[in-house]
Every structure is written in C-alpha cells, then in structure tokens.
C-alpha cells in the first residue's frame, strides 16, 4: 500500500491505537491507573461502569486543553500578525486549534482453552492544543508552531517563522502568489443533535458488544472486532487580510468486522459492516443499524469462507457504493490533486497521468460519469465552512460528461492553471502541521434515469457483484490499478447467485471509467466516508467522503487472487 493512500490497516482488523496528529504534544500514559482512566472518560457513573469492564492495562492520552473565549483568541492572533508585519512579512496567518480523538474498540474472541468469549475493550482519548503561524517573507513561506500559548511565545514563534521564510527565500525561484480570497469574519459548526463526546464510554462499549453478540449467533463466526471513532476539531484562524474564523468540526465513524475460520484448512475470511462515517453527531451511530445488521454480516462471513474462488476472465462488474468509493478515491481523487500533477509529490506520493495539458480535453470516463469536488456536501467528512487558507468552501466539477475539467487547488496553486480563485482544498491535520492541498469530498453523480441495483444486474450475463473495500494496488501516476473487495456474488443470466471468493479486478483508470455504461439512480447513492487518508512528508491524515451510486462496468479483467 502506498504511503499516500487510504489505510486498510486501521481500524477493523487491527487493534492498535491511532497515532496522535503530527506535532501533537499530548501526554501519553501507558498502563494508566484508575484515576487517569476516569479522567479520560469523564468522572461520571457511566465512566465508573466502563472502568469495571476493563480487565487489565489500557491506554489513555488525554489532557485538558485550554478552551479560550473568542476575545482571548483574537488577542493572541493580533500579537502574531502585528509581529509578522513588524518583521516585514507580506502575509501572515495564525491557527489556534484544539483536537480531540476518542477511539473505542471491542474485540470479542473465544478463549483457546475454554471456548468462552472474551470481550476485550481498548479505549483511547487523546487531546492536543496549540498554535501554528504561517508567514510570507521575501516571497517564501515560513512556518513555526508551539503547544504553549502566551504572548511571549506567540511573538517568538512568529519570529521563527519569519526567519525560516527568509532562509527559504534564498532558494525559491519564484515568489509565492496567493489567489484572491475575500476577508471573512464568520463561524461554522457541524450540525449535530447529540455530541458524541457526551455519550459515555460504557454506552459505546455496550453497543459494540450487542452488535458482536448478534453476529456471533451465527454458527461458524470466530470473532468480531467493533470500532468507534469520534473526532473533534476546534479551529481558530486569523490573517493579515482581515479574516477571523472559528469552526467546530465533529466526525463519527462506527464499524465492525466479523471473522470466520476453518481450523483444518487454516483459511479465514472476514466481512465488515461499515456504515457511512460522517460529519455529524452520535445520532448517526444510533441509526447505523449496528445490531440490526449483525445476523446478515455473520451469515455472509460464514458463506464467504465456504465460497468457491472466482473463475478468472473478462466480466461485467456491478459495484455497490461501499466498494466504488475507494476506486473513486484512488483513481480520480488522487489523480486530480494539482500538487501531484505538478510534480510536488513526486519523490514520495507520486505524480498523476492527468497533467495540466489534459485539462479540459482528456476523456476519463463515459458520458454519464460526472464527478465533483465538494466541501459543502451535507455530512461529508471534508465538509466545513472555510479551509486552512481562510477560503470559503465550495463545490466544483472535476469530470463533466467524462471529460477532465477541474483540479483540487489551494490559494498558492490557482495561478498554475490560470485560475483566479482557490477551490478551498487547504488543510492541516494539526496546529503543528503545515497546511497544504488535501482531497475534498469527491463524489460521483447518480444516473439521470431510473435504475435500481436490480436493473444494473439484469443486464449482466456473466459478472460479479462487489460490496465493501478490500486490498488494492495502484501505480504512482494513478493509471494502472487492481482492486479487491469485501464480499462478492456471482451474476449469471441477469440474476445474483451464490457468494464467490478471491476476486480482484485490474484496469487502467480511463479504460475502467469509460467502461461504465449504467449508473444507479439517486435511490442507490450513498455518502461513503473514508477517515484515514495519508499524504505528505511528514505524513498527515485527512478524512473525506466519496458519495456515489451503484455502477455497472463492462468487460473488466477479473483475476483469482488465491
């Protein structure tokens, strides 16, 4: 797997703990005591119940970060901006941010000696707080950050940022040019009904255990690993151009993975239930059908283990949104990042076959393929009010009737392709990370004619129906790829048959998308979220959604992976 791509290793099949944001100064406590854990949960009756469910060592990484009122934030911001101006900077901004990420994991596995089910929880609750200052001096960027917020430190860090910019300016061939961005004074908050951080750890663990119990009612299920992540970002942005922005972003992401094993043949298969991760509240977790879907998931993982391997050859594919989202992410999302196309990521993440000379003319998909970049999509994981350049977020076309028409851009990139405005794709995963171009929500428009999943299947004589994400491989230009999946069914004579296994398909990005001859209508469209996309050196994470309908693709090369 490439380091610049979405991670398969977290969370369902793993069981580790997430890395803190780059530059985080959160305190890490291993094998913490009872008092530490209660602090991580909140000193509540539910938290007390939760501690009783933890049989041994655990991890907690939470500290209480400062929660400053708006007037205090602006006073610190003013110190940075005045200092930057005094030192000759032509532009400066400061981000004072607080982050909190809570992960709840429950692994339900039979004891090897007794067969009794061990429900082993793991809870992390980490928080970081600090500020980062960007300046342009001598036509070059400078950046510095600190976890200590006081006037003297803000002034010192701003001076460091200017010193770094001065050093950079001696090496830079062309000065930084920022696209216009109207100054704004505004606030934005993710709409939510129920703050996920107000829900106790015990209640979350109980929900995961109930789902696990339902899955394990199916004979043949070996283990279940449930996972729930909640992330909070409180962002403050202030710039020398007059912008003052406050935003609160909340994301939730529940899922679980069931495993079936044949101890005689030493084979194992998994099936993951992954409802859409969203920007929103705990109400989405409650409505996600974690328990209600348990029996089906259990039956499918057992059938998957017994299923025969696919017969290789050219076949038609019907791809459900839970699978197609990752194909969109890797083949269209990453290939239309302008920094990648310009070679800025070449030494690490790679380049793109969609070079600027192909903008507006190159056919990527068939006429029915319309793809948008979007940071205003309701519940999209990348949705917010303003990006980390202080630019108001928007929706913009990437593929129009199959033709490549748009890049993801930030302020300093827009002029590379003759644009006067940024597409608002700037983001940093921490106050201590340098903001740069990150993928927004990239979604595929539903078909314009009524078409259900049954309609897509009805037109297939020999094919495969694929659900969920699996392993994948893609080259550094995002051109040649191979994708697996989570569950597969044979299609014969326009009907869905039994499950099959060991399926992957190979294609080139333009060949694949031009083979799309039918898209499901809006009733098949799902807003599928990915919350672990990696990019950059040092690496940063990002979350975005890839909404899409079910799609049908003709004559794709299918291989047997086992």
């Amino acid at each position: 797997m490439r380091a610049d791509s979405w991670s398969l290793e977290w969370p369902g099949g793993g069981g580790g703990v997430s890395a803190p944001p780059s530059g985080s100064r959160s305190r890490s406590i291993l094998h913490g005591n009872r008092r530490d854990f209660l602090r991580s949960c909140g000193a509540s009756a539910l938290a007390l119940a939760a501690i009783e469910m933890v049989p041994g060592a655990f991890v907690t990484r939470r500290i209480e970060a400062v929660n400053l009122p708006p007037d205090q934030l602006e006073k610190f911001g003013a110190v940075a901006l005045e200092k930057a101006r005094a030192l000759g900077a032509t532009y400066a901004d400061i981000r004072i941010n607080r982050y909190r990420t809570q992960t709840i994991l429950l692994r339900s596995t039979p004891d090897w000696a007794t067969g009794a089910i061990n429900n082993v929880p793991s809870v992390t609750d980490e928080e970081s707080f600090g500020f980062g200052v960007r300046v342009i001096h001598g036509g070059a960027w400078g950046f510095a950050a600190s976890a200590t917020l006081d006037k003297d430190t803000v002034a010192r860090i701003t001076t460091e940022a200017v010193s770094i910019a001065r050093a950079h300016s001696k090496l830079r061939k062309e000065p930084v040019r920022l696209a216009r961005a109207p100054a704004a004074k505004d606030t934005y908050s993710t709409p939510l009904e129920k703050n996920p951080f107000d829900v106790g750890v015990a209640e979350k663990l109980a929900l995961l255990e109930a789902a696990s119990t339902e899955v394990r009612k199916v004979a043949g299920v070996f283990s279940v690993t449930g996972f729930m992540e909640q992330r909070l970002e409180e962002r403050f942005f202030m710039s020398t151009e007059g912008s003052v922005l406050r935003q609160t972003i909340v994301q939730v992401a529940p899922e679980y993975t069931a495993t079936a094993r044949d101890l005689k043949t030493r084979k194992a298969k998994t099936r993951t239930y992954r409802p859409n991760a969203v920007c929103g509240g705990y109400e989405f977790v409650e409505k996600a059908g974690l328990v209600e879907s348990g029996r089906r998931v259990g039956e499918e993982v057992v059938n998957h283990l017994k299923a025969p391997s696919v017969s290789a050859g050219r076949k038609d594919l019907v791809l459900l949104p839970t699978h197609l989202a990752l194909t969109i992410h890797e083949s269209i999302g990453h290939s239309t990042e302008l920094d990648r196309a310009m070679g800025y990521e070449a030494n690490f993440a790679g380049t793109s076959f969609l070079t600027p000379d192909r903008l507006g003319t190159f056919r990527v998909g068939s006429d029915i393929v319309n793809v948008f970049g979007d940071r205003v999509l309701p519940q999209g994981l990348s949705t917010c009010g303003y990006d980390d350049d202080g630019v108001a977020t928007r929706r913009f076309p990437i593929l129009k009737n199959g033709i490549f028409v748009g890049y993801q851009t930030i302020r300093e990139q827009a002029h590379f392709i003759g644009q006067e405005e940024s597409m608002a794709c700037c983001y940093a995963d921490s106050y201590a990370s340098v903001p740069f171009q990150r993928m927004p929500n990239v979604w595929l428009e539903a078909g314009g004619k009524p078409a259900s999943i049954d309609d897509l299947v009805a037109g297939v004589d020999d094919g495969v129906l694929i659900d969920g994400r699996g392993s994948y491989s893609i080259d550094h230009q995002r051109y040649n790829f191979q994708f697996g999946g989570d569950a597969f069914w044979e299609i014969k004579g326009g009907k869905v048959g039994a499950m099959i296994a060991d399926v992957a398909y190979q294609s080139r990005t333009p060949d694949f998308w031009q083979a799309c001859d039918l898209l499901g209508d809006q009733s098949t469209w799902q807003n599928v979220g990915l919350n672990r996309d990696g990019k950059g050196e040092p690496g940063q994470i990002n979350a975005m959604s890839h909404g899409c309908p079910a799609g049908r693709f003709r004559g794709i090369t299918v291989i047997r992976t086992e």
Side-chain angles (χ1 to χ4, degrees):
M1 184 189 69
R2 297 190 61 84
D4 60 317
S5 298
W6 173 79
S7 170
L8 281 168
E9 298 175 354
W10 177 265
V17 293
S18 61
S22 175
S24 170
R25 299 297 179 86
S26 293
R27 180 178 58 182
S28 296
I29 305 171
L30 299 180
H31 307 294
N33 58 32
R34 183 184 180 92
R35 177 175 296 175
D36 292 325
F37 185 76
L38 287 174
R39 288 176 65 200
S40 78
C41 300
S44 65
L46 288 177
L48 185 60
I51 189 67
E52 301 302 335
M53 299 179 66
V54 180
F58 48 82
V59 177
T60 176
R61 291 178 172 172
R62 180 165 178 216
I63 60 173
E64 289 78 10
V66 179
N67 199 358
L68 294 172
D71 61 329
Q72 288 295 312
L73 292 170
E74 292 188 32
K75 286 181 180 178
F76 285 119
V79 171
L81 303 186
E82 290 170 8
K83 186 68 175 180
R85 288 190 186 99
L87 295 173
T90 55
Y91 171 86
D93 62 42
I94 180 171
R95 293 177 299 116
I96 306 174
N97 292 359
R98 185 167 75 99
Y99 306 85
R100 182 179 176 188
T101 302
Q102 182 189 69
T103 60
I104 311 290
L105 187 143
L106 184 70
R107 176 171 289 179
S108 304
T109 308
D111 186 284
W112 286 101
T114 67
I117 297 298
N118 292 321
N119 290 310
V120 182
S122 174
V123 180
T124 69
D125 197 335
E126 59 188 26
E127 196 160 16
S128 64
F129 174 81
F131 71 96
V133 176
R134 283 195 313 179
V135 303
I136 296 177
H137 190 288
W141 283 115
F143 175 80
S146 174
T148 301
L149 185 65
D150 57 53
K151 290 184 178 179
D152 290 342
T153 304
V154 170
R156 177 176 60 81
I157 290 298
T158 303
T159 302
E160 286 186 16
V162 171
S163 298
I164 292 169
R166 284 174 172 153
H168 285 168
S169 66
K170 298 175 182 176
L171 304 172
R172 193 168 185 89
K173 295 180 179 178
E174 296 181 6
V176 174
R177 290 168 51 188
L178 297 181
R180 68 188 181 195
K185 295 185 177 181
D186 201 358
T187 60
Y188 173 89
S189 296
T190 298
L192 55 85
E193 298 173 11
K194 196 170 186 178
N195 189 332
F197 294 97
D198 290 341
V199 180
V201 171
E203 183 175 336
K204 294 169 182 172
L205 284 169
L207 178 57
L208 293 178
E209 184 173 355
S212 171
T213 300
E214 191 65 19
V215 176
R216 288 186 291 100
K217 288 179 179 177
V218 178
V221 173
F222 179 77
S223 65
V224 180
T225 300
F227 174 80
M228 209 180 287
E229 179 177 87
Q230 294 80 205
R231 179 171 171 84
L232 166 70
E233 296 185 4
E234 292 181 344
R235 310 176 190 167
F236 173 78
F237 175 94
M238 191 168 172
S239 76
T240 50
E241 295 177 339
S243 288
V244 182
L245 305 168
R246 294 174 55 224
Q247 301 186 84
T248 302
I249 311 299
V250 179
Q251 301 168 344
V252 294
E255 66 176 67
Y256 56 79
T257 296
T259 300
R261 287 183 175 178
D262 185 329
L263 298 180
K264 293 182 179 178
T265 62
R266 296 180 179 274
K267 284 187 175 180
K269 294 293 183 184
T270 61
R271 183 75 170 107
T272 297
Y273 180 62
R274 186 176 284 125
N276 298 330
V278 298
C279 265
Y282 195 74
E283 64 273 11
F284 287 97
V285 177
E286 295 176 325
K287 298 173 184 175
L290 295 175
V291 178
E292 294 80 359
S293 300
R295 188 65 64 94
R296 174 182 61 81
V297 172
E299 292 171 351
E300 289 178 353
V301 71
V302 172
N303 290 335
H304 194 188
L305 182 63
K306 300 175 181 176
S309 296
V310 67
S311 60
R314 296 182 73 85
K315 299 176 183 294
D316 296 339
L317 302 179
V318 175
L319 305 180
L320 299 184
T322 49
H323 172 84
L324 190 57
L326 183 60
T327 309
I328 293 170
H329 175 88
E330 302 295 349
S331 66
I332 297 177
H334 278 305
S335 65
T336 56
E337 295 170 315
L338 184 56
D339 55 355
R340 176 188 289 271
M342 297 293 290
Y344 286 26
E345 294 281 319
N347 66 332
F348 183 62
T351 59
S352 172
F353 74 97
L354 288 173
T355 47
D357 60 300
R358 292 180 164 179
L359 185 61
T361 60
F362 188 82
R363 177 168 290 283
V364 176
S366 61
D367 287 340
I368 62 173
V369 176
N370 292 290
V371 175
F372 296 87
D374 192 329
R375 299 197 72 184
V376 296
L377 179 70
Q379 298 153 23
L381 285 176
S382 183
T383 296
C384 59
Y386 297 84
D387 76 349
D388 282 347
D389 272 340
V391 177
T393 52
R394 59 194 298 174
R395 177 176 300 162
F396 56 95
I398 291 178
L399 301 183
K400 185 175 182 180
N401 297 327
I403 303 297
F404 169 47
V405 296
Y407 278 114
Q408 307 156 43
T409 62
I410 61 177
R411 291 185 69 184
E412 69 175 285
Q413 297 173 337
H415 71 94
F416 293 165
I417 53 174
Q419 290 182 343
E420 295 183 353
E421 295 183 329
S422 159
M423 295 298 109
C425 297
C426 190
Y427 175 72
D429 67 353
S430 164
Y431 67 87
S433 299
V434 176
F436 71 132
Q437 192 266 299
R438 298 307 309 269
M439 193 185 303
N441 306 307
V442 175
W443 58 271
L444 172 65
E445 188 176 58
K449 300 178 180 178
S452 66
I453 294 174
D454 287 344
D455 293 328
L456 271 63
V457 170
V460 175
D461 184 54
D462 179 19
V464 182
L465 174 69
I466 304 180
D467 183 29
R469 311 197 290 249
S471 64
Y472 71 93
S473 177
I474 191 165
D475 70 23
H476 72 290
Q477 290 190 316
R478 302 285 150 171
Y479 195 62
N480 300 281
F481 63 66
Q482 174 178 313
F483 283 90
D486 190 55
F488 317 93
W489 290 264
E490 186 178 56
I491 301 175
K492 287 291 185 184
K495 302 289 184 183
V496 176
M499 291 191 78
I500 54 179
D502 311 318
V503 180
Y505 60 89
Q506 298 176 330
S507 190
R508 299 186 309 162
T509 297
D511 295 345
F512 176 80
W513 287 104
Q514 289 180 36
C516 180
D517 79 328
L518 184 60
L519 292 171
D521 60 28
Q522 196 64 36
S523 68
T524 74
W525 197 92
Q526 291 185 42
N527 194 20
V528 182
L530 303 181
N531 56 350
R532 288 280 162 182
D533 180 50
K535 183 181 176 183
E537 280 188 298
Q540 295 189 36
I541 63 168
N542 183 28
M544 74 296 295
S545 296
H546 298 299
C548 57
R552 188 171 70 194
F553 299 80
R554 297 293 194 182
I556 305 298
T557 298
V558 172
I559 64 170
R560 174 178 171 174
T561 57
E562 184 177 278

